Amino acid sequence: MARRLDWSALVERAQASFPGRCVGSFVWLRGLDRSMVIASQAFTALIPLLMVVSAFFPRGSDTAVSDAVIRRFGLTGDAAAAVTEVFAHSGSSSVGIASMLLLLFSGVSLTRRMQKMYLSAWQVPPRRGVRGSLNAVMGLLALLLEFVVLYLFLTLIRNLPFDRALQLPLSWAASLVLWTTIPWLLLDRQVGWRRLAVGGALTATCATIYGVATTIYMPPLMESYSARYGLFGVTIALVGWLLCIAVLVVASTVVAAELDRAPEGWAQRFRGLVGIVERQPSPSRREERLSDAVDV
């Protein structure tokens, strides 16, 4: 009986610790479900939108999306040919109004789902009316713009002597800007830049490390999937890659939000070091969320 009580006390202590609260918040947020939805929505909305944007690039750049994917994963042979076929389009810059509206609606749906995730993680009440939807549209435009700018920068430095050494810090800096700007817009500008920059830096670091890892395991995986399943195999591999990115984004957001309201002394010192103004957390709300997380 004593051992059972000690075990229960140990579990309660683990749940009350910072890592335990992060895990509890991820479960309460239904992080895996949200990650799967965001990943699938990104594949069906964001990639077609990037293809439409690339159609307006100068002549000869109509394969910008497929070329970026091939270079990102270091693909060759059949896998590179399959990716080119997946993202192939006519190269014409004429896009139907109905198609453009459908893609825009899908893209806004993606940012709205991300918006709900950020609002829940940061415990920020949503803005009603047109303003929330407008910020979702602005978030989508910022997402597309920063992807295009990063692609152009990487294209410019490709001919420099130390281009591979420059790609890593440049990608990290672009990710930092991206994952600080997007939450700021989707949170309806109710959370300050400094507080969001912590999550942006954490997401950028995780994404950069994962980006290095993908150059190792993705080429053989894409080769294997394309040989087994053809174009469908390439799609499966890309959706799996997007799912991992979505899990990193959701998990980093949860950790950053918990760090922002953590009562521990080390967390308070860290917030003071980066210039975050202290705010008193609500104990009742914290206990309620922790209880909900355990129930889930």
Side-chain angles (χ1 to χ4, degrees):
M1 186 67 177
R3 291 182 180 179
R4 185 175 181 181
L5 291 176
D6 292 341
W7 177 253
S8 300
L10 183 62
V11 171
E12 291 179 1
R13 186 180 302 175
Q15 290 176 345
S17 66
F18 178 75
R21 295 198 305 272
C22 290
V23 173
S25 294
F26 187 83
V27 174
W28 172 80
L29 196 65
R30 293 179 176 85
L32 288 178
D33 292 342
R34 290 181 184 270
S35 299
M36 292 181 65
V37 171
I38 290 173
S40 59
Q41 194 75 35
F43 185 81
T44 58
L46 187 59
I47 291 180
L49 278 171
L50 287 173
M51 292 175 63
V52 171
V53 172
S54 68
F56 294 94
F57 280 10
R59 185 176 297 276
S61 301
D62 52 303
T63 60
V65 175
S66 59
D67 291 344
V69 173
I70 290 172
R71 282 195 303 271
R72 184 69 185 81
F73 299 134
L75 303 178
T76 57
D78 294 338
V83 169
T84 302
E85 189 172 351
V86 167
F87 296 106
H89 59 85
S90 64
S92 172
S93 59
S94 59
V95 181
I97 295 178
S99 299
M100 194 63 192
L101 289 176
L102 180 61
L103 286 175
L104 181 62
F105 177 80
S106 300
V108 173
S109 178
L110 166 65
T111 51
R112 291 289 285 182
R113 292 180 186 276
M114 294 177 64
Q115 187 176 42
K116 291 180 180 178
M117 183 270 294
Y118 283 119
L119 291 170
S120 297
W122 283 90
Q123 301 179 12
V124 174
R127 292 279 179 86
R128 303 295 180 182
V130 180
R131 185 169 182 177
S133 300
L134 181 60
N135 285 328
V137 175
M138 293 296 293
L140 174 63
L141 295 178
L143 196 64
L144 291 174
L145 179 61
E146 292 180 27
F147 280 162
V148 171
V149 170
L150 179 60
Y151 171 79
L152 294 177
F153 268 117
L154 293 178
T155 302
L156 289 175
I157 68 172
R158 198 176 303 148
N159 298 323
L160 297 179
F162 303 101
D163 59 325
R164 292 190 177 274
L166 292 173
Q167 284 182 7
L168 204 61
L170 183 61
S171 298
W172 184 89
S175 296
L176 172 62
V177 174
L178 175 67
W179 298 116
T180 303
T181 305
I182 297 300
W184 181 69
L185 289 171
L186 297 184
L187 287 168
D188 300 324
R189 309 173 191 180
Q190 300 181 70
V191 181
W193 281 90
R194 289 181 184 271
R195 294 165 61 190
L196 293 173
V198 175
L202 180 60
T203 306
T205 302
C206 293
T208 302
I209 295 173
Y210 179 65
V212 174
T214 55
T215 61
I216 299 174
Y217 83 86
M218 278 297 284
L221 184 66
M222 295 278 277
E223 289 282 355
S224 175
Y225 278 21
S226 62
R228 290 183 182 181
Y229 310 112
L231 300 182
F232 184 65
V234 174
T235 302
I236 294 176
L238 288 175
V239 170
W241 178 74
L242 288 172
L243 176 60
C244 292
I245 294 291
V247 170
L248 289 177
V249 171
V250 176
S252 299
T253 301
V254 167
V255 173
E258 283 295 330
L259 179 60
D260 184 74
R261 53 181 171 254
E264 289 86 352
W266 63 266
Q268 295 178 11
R269 290 191 294 271
F270 175 80
R271 292 195 292 266
L273 183 65
V274 298
I276 298 176
V277 179
E278 286 293 334
R279 64 187 184 92
Q280 294 295 328
S282 174
S284 59
R285 176 57 177 164
R286 293 186 55 79
E287 292 173 2
E288 177 186 345
R289 292 181 65 254
L290 200 58
S291 175
D292 290 343
V294 174
D295 291 340
V296 173

